Amino acid sequence: MPYTAPSRELLQHLEKARSVVVLTGAGVSAESGIPTFRGQGGLWREFRPEELATAAAFEQRPKLVWEWYMWRRQLVAQAEPNPGHFALAALETKYSEFTLVTQNVDGLHMRAGSRNVIELHGNIMRSRCHECGSPAGEAALDKDGQLPACECGGLIRPDVIWFGELLPPEALKRAWEASAHAEVFLSIGTSSAVQPAAGLADMAKRAGAYLVEVNPDTTEMSDRFDEVLRGPSGAILPTLCEELRLNFSRAPMFAV
Ligand code: BV8
Ligand code: ZN
């Protein structure tokens, strides 16, 4: 698929910047075989994510919601980081202040070697109690369909943030602070449809950052970006690294 090459202006900004913020969404993991939320692959059985990723859905149909997450967990377990993930890990090494804010819950950025990662929406491979919030490791629906329960009696759920739930305050504060000081803000593989994550781009813009969108399609915020690179992140981000003379391997750079 043809894609837009980074402009000279963007390369100059990236050469001179001290602080860079990247916001990623499901599109970055699409080339790792994980379906996006709102693309054609986003459906599971006859449900849309917004119908299942809520506390109400879990309270009403915990087994159905767990089955959706078990299906996604095995997709994540089989997935490998793609060149876009590795390119972001390489990009991070170039800056003293680099923050990768992700809406994704698949952990692929850390597996690719990214270090300063903020998981705004949690992590699908972890579980926690829906009542008391205690961490519950990787507790899951067992093969007989038994729902995992906490000692407090509450049901255990995936450790992700559902619609209508507050984001982890510490993570959100760090993401806001980083965006308010960004000199370059790259929004990659997100439809910019979900708040408060999508609002980070506006914060960076108000702080005078150079805003770049990397996405094969237009999004509801495309016209607010200084530059849009139309195409898949798995192709565009390695090109960006090559233009910045950053070499990167496809293997995680740090033993994790
Ligand atoms: C909150 C974790 C305060 C779970 C997710 C009414 C009532 C309650 C809340 C609201 C309301 N109205 C609005 C809200 C706020 C709501 C919201 O924003 N709703 C939207 C839908 C309108 N937000 C919340 O509820 C947040 N909490 O606001 O709390 C509050 C509390 C009570 C009442 C009011 C406010 C919580 C939001 C977090 C929800 N959890 N996920 C899970 O994963 O199971 S969100 C979910 O959407 C994922 O995390 C996902 O990452 C995120 C955003 O989606 P994208 O990542 O952008 O994915 P998408 O499929 O949309 O797009 C993919 C893009 O990639 C596309 O553009 C595509 O073109 C592109 N692409 C495809 N291939 C490639 C590519 N790009 C690059 N390369 C490729 N190869
Ligand atoms: Zn509990």
Side-chain angles (χ1 to χ4, degrees):
M1 167 188 200
Y3 56 86
T4 333
S7 70
R8 285 244 53 78
E9 187 180 7
L10 170 55
L11 295 173
Q12 280 159 0
H13 278 291
L14 284 171
E15 286 295 359
K16 67 181 205 304
R18 212 177 18 76
S19 73
V20 170
V21 172
V22 172
L23 171 69
T24 62
V28 164
S29 297
E31 293 161 80
S32 295
I34 298 178
T36 60
F37 274 76
R38 292 167 189 84
Q40 71 300 334
L43 277 182
W44 175 74
R45 295 190 193 160
E46 68 282 16
F47 299 99
R48 283 184 309 104
E50 277 83 3
E51 295 170 276
L52 296 173
T54 70
F58 179 70
E59 285 152 13
Q60 281 144 30
R61 306 176 71 178
K63 191 154 171 292
L64 177 76
V65 172
W66 258 117
E67 285 168 351
W68 179 46
Y69 279 97
M70 296 305 283
W71 174 71
R72 290 174 63 196
R73 276 189 176 179
Q74 50 92 17
L75 280 181
V76 168
Q78 287 159 7
E80 290 298 327
N82 66 61
H85 291 107
F86 290 118
L88 287 173
L91 197 60
E92 177 172 10
T93 62
K94 183 177 171 61
Y95 298 99
S96 51
E97 286 175 47
F98 183 95
T99 308
L100 202 171
V101 184
T102 189
Q103 301 170 88
N104 299 340
V105 297
D106 56 34
L108 288 180
H109 286 302
M110 279 77 80
R111 283 178 52 195
S114 288
R115 313 284 276 183
N116 190 21
V117 180
I118 301 175
E119 292 183 311
L120 280 187
H121 295 160
N123 186 302
I124 194 171
M125 299 315 266
R126 287 194 310 257
S127 301
R128 74 165 189 268
C129 175
H130 186 52
E131 295 310 318
C132 69
S134 318
E138 291 185 6
L141 184 71
D142 73 11
K143 55 190 178 334
D144 316 327
Q146 195 64 33
L147 288 167
C150 172
E151 275 144 37
C152 79
L155 281 181
I156 288 173
R157 56 176 276 181
D159 187 14
V160 296
I161 307 297
W162 282 329
F163 289 102
E165 292 187 326
L166 294 173
L167 271 58
E170 204 29 52
L172 191 52
K173 188 164 154 284
R174 281 177 57 209
W176 276 334
E177 276 163 10
S179 304
H181 297 96
E183 289 162 284
V184 180
F185 184 96
L186 302 161
S187 176
I188 307 170
T190 181
S191 59
S192 300
V194 171
Q195 296 299 349
L200 294 171
D202 289 325
M203 279 186 98
K205 188 165 188 77
R206 281 197 295 279
Y210 187 76
L211 251 56
V212 183
E213 180 181 74
V214 176
N215 195 316
D217 300 330
T218 51
T219 70
E220 32 195 285
M221 286 181 69
S222 293
D223 54 5
R224 274 179 255 182
F225 285 83
D226 299 299
E227 183 163 343
V228 293
L229 300 178
R230 283 283 165 259
S233 48
I236 288 176
L237 297 177
T239 302
L240 200 54
C241 282
E242 277 142 28
E243 297 278 358
L244 295 168
R245 294 174 305 292
L246 277 170
N247 58 9
F248 68 101
S249 72
R250 273 151 181 63
M253 293 210 285
F254 313 95
V256 284

